[in-house]
Amino acid sequence: MKIRFVFSFLLFMATGLSDATAMLRPAVTVSIPAKIAKGKFIHVVCIWLKSDLDRRDIKEFEKGMRELKKIKSVRSMEIGRPAGTKRDVVDNTYSYMMVFYFKDATGHALYQIDPIHQDFVDKHKAKWMRIQVYDALIE
């Protein structure tokens, strides 16, 4: 119980909730299982955009993806498009892939509740028809 309280307090402090707009957001509970609390954390996001988007919508979406690099807990981030590899095991149907590298699962949890991430989702979720996430712990 004490660990959960300490983690919640640290999360509160790290997210800068002194900002009035952040205080209006609903509370988010983040729990990290002990088995993934240690080790580097990789977060892969594949996004399938809707086919009726115009050039402006796509440019705004690309700009929004680049903004995610500003989140403090993101160690590094890469954005890519399908390589077009011709193999049965390769899925080339997505529009964009983002690969995020975090120091640990706590960094990833902080990313999820960061206002930059939440604003990206709010602003762009109507542009995608599907999103698929793969998380990996690198020991």
Side-chain angles (χ1 to χ4, degrees), residues 23-90:
M23 291 186 78
L24 296 175
R25 293 194 175 275
V28 176
T29 303
V30 178
S31 64
I32 300 173
K35 68 179 184 177
I36 67 166
K38 295 180 182 180
K40 295 177 189 175
F41 197 96
I42 298 176
H43 179 64
V44 178
V45 182
C46 296
I47 298 174
W48 286 257
L49 293 178
K50 293 180 178 177
S51 60
D52 63 346
L53 298 180
D54 62 25
R55 188 178 189 102
R56 182 175 165 217
D57 289 332
I58 293 170
K59 291 296 178 192
E60 287 175 0
F61 181 78
E62 290 172 344
K63 180 181 178 185
M65 286 190 299
R66 289 189 299 273
E67 290 289 312
L68 295 171
K69 292 180 181 182
K70 295 179 180 179
I71 297 174
K72 291 179 184 179
S73 66
V74 174
R75 286 286 174 102
S76 65
M77 176 201 178
E78 298 168 323
I79 300 169
R81 296 184 59 100
T85 314
K86 306 281 189 220
R87 293 177 44 214
D88 291 343
V89 296
V90 176

Side-chain angles (χ1 to χ4, degrees), residues 25 43 45 47 64-65 67-71 73-74 98 100 102 108-125 128 131 133:
R25 293 194 175 275
H43 179 64
V45 182
I47 298 174
M65 286 190 299
E67 290 289 312
L68 295 171
K69 292 180 181 182
K70 295 179 180 179
I71 297 174
S73 66
V74 174
M98 295 182 284
F100 296 87
F102 300 95
H108 173 257
L110 292 172
Y111 158 83
Q112 289 295 330
I113 63 172
D114 190 282
I116 295 171
H117 177 255
Q118 292 185 359
D119 288 344
F120 172 79
V121 172
D122 291 344
K123 195 180 285 184
H124 300 289
K125 65 185 172 191
W128 62 70
I131 190 165
V133 175

